[in-house]
Amino acid sequence: DAGVIQSPRHEVTEMGQEVTLRCKPISGHDYLFWYRQTMMRGLELLIYFNNNVPIDDSGMPEDRFSAKMPNASFSTLKIQPSEPRDSAVYFCASSLGSLAAFFGQGTRLTVV
Amino acid sequence: GDSVTQMEGPVTLSEEAFLTINCTYTATGYPSLFWYVQYPGEGLQLLLKATKADDKGSNKGFEATYRKETTSFHLEKGSVQVSDSAVYFCALSPWGSNYKLTFGKGTLLTVNP
């Protein structure tokens, strides 16, 4: 398996623009997670899905953030409008049940 | 709420030195404990885990023992290599829910030849 695939790897956008990050989990995994990594706050769980259904979005910082999982092989994290403080590395991870999560390589987002 | 505290980095060692990275946690019940490693430009990879008190997780020469009495899960390796240079994260997931990982801030390890 190719592992968790995220795109794009790098994204630079202007403040106020919409940003969409994409994730393809490992085939057969039933949990999908979105994390954000910053120097100040470390790794934070934003939201996770089980069988395509959002279970816990308490980590989503604001209404500007939204995540969807329309099917078992695809998820998006959208920021609209983006702000400079959203600059971070965003990781997607997937797991099979309670087994260990596998992480993608991340998307480095820079909002200028 | 749950939290994980790791020793501050960076840690710089010479090849073949002994490594310890301290990790303590705060959580209710009996969480599962993990060490993840992040190589430059990569995502996190599971290094080892332990799911109950006194369990020892081990992988690639790294070890960590789940100590309930001291709420600790320190990472050790007897002889580090240059290829071990990476950021190491201690993490926990709540008892009964191995889904939501809470991470420590990470410790950067640099091993010099």
Side-chain angles (χ1 to χ4, degrees):
Chain A
D1 199 308
V4 176
I5 299 173
Q6 292 186 245
S7 64
R9 291 293 308 275
H10 303 273
E11 176 79 41
V12 180
T13 191
E14 291 185 347
M15 182 173 62
Q17 297 298 305
E18 177 180 294
V19 176
T20 300
L21 311 181
R22 297 172 175 80
C23 175
K24 176 179 168 54
I26 293 173
S27 177
H29 281 189
D30 55 352
Y31 282 84
L32 184 139
F33 309 83
W34 283 100
Y35 287 87
R36 179 172 67 176
Q37 184 180 37
T38 61
M39 289 295 292
M40 290 296 294
R41 300 173 68 91
L43 272 160
E44 305 171 279
L45 177 65
L46 300 178
I47 184 172
Y48 76 94
F49 296 81
N50 177 220
N51 292 323
N52 314 338
V53 176
I55 303 300
D56 185 346
D57 65 354
S58 59
M60 296 285 263
E62 303 171 30
D63 291 346
R64 298 184 297 105
F65 286 70
S66 62
K68 294 182 179 180
M69 192 166 186
N71 57 62
S73 59
F74 184 66
S75 177
T76 60
L77 177 68
K78 184 177 295 186
I79 308 172
Q80 165 64 17
S82 58
E83 297 182 3
R85 59 193 168 116
D86 302 330
S87 298
V89 180
Y90 291 82
F91 287 103
C92 176
S94 70
S95 71
L96 177 61
S98 62
L99 299 179
F102 289 79
F103 283 72
Q105 292 184 297
T107 295
R108 181 174 296 277
L109 173 65
T110 303
V111 183
V112 297
Chain B
D2 296 344
S3 66
V4 175
T5 302
Q6 287 181 239
M7 64 185 287
E8 295 276 336
V11 174
T12 302
L13 296 173
S14 298
E15 206 164 24
E16 299 184 1
F18 184 85
L19 168 71
T20 299
I21 300 178
N22 290 339
C23 171
T24 57
Y25 68 89
T26 301
T28 55
Y30 300 89
S32 294
L33 301 174
F34 306 82
W35 278 99
Y36 277 81
V37 59
Q38 184 179 28
Y39 298 103
E42 302 291 324
L44 281 73
Q45 303 174 25
L46 178 66
L47 183 58
L48 53 85
K49 69 176 183 179
T51 57
K52 61 182 186 295
D54 299 324
D55 265 3
K56 177 184 284 188
S58 62
N59 186 26
K60 299 181 181 180
F62 291 89
E63 293 184 339
T65 301
Y66 189 143
R67 300 290 187 197
K68 181 72 174 172
E69 64 276 15
T70 55
T71 62
S72 65
F73 193 56
H74 304 322
L75 182 68
E76 296 181 336
K77 187 175 185 182
S79 177
V80 294
Q81 305 300 312
V82 172
S83 57
D84 294 326
S85 298
V87 180
Y88 292 81
F89 292 90
C90 185
L92 68 81
S93 64
W95 180 78
S97 173
N98 281 348
Y99 313 123
K100 294 181 63 173
L101 289 168
T102 297
F103 286 91
K105 289 289 184 70
T107 302
L108 173 63
L109 170 67
T110 302
V111 181
N112 295 317

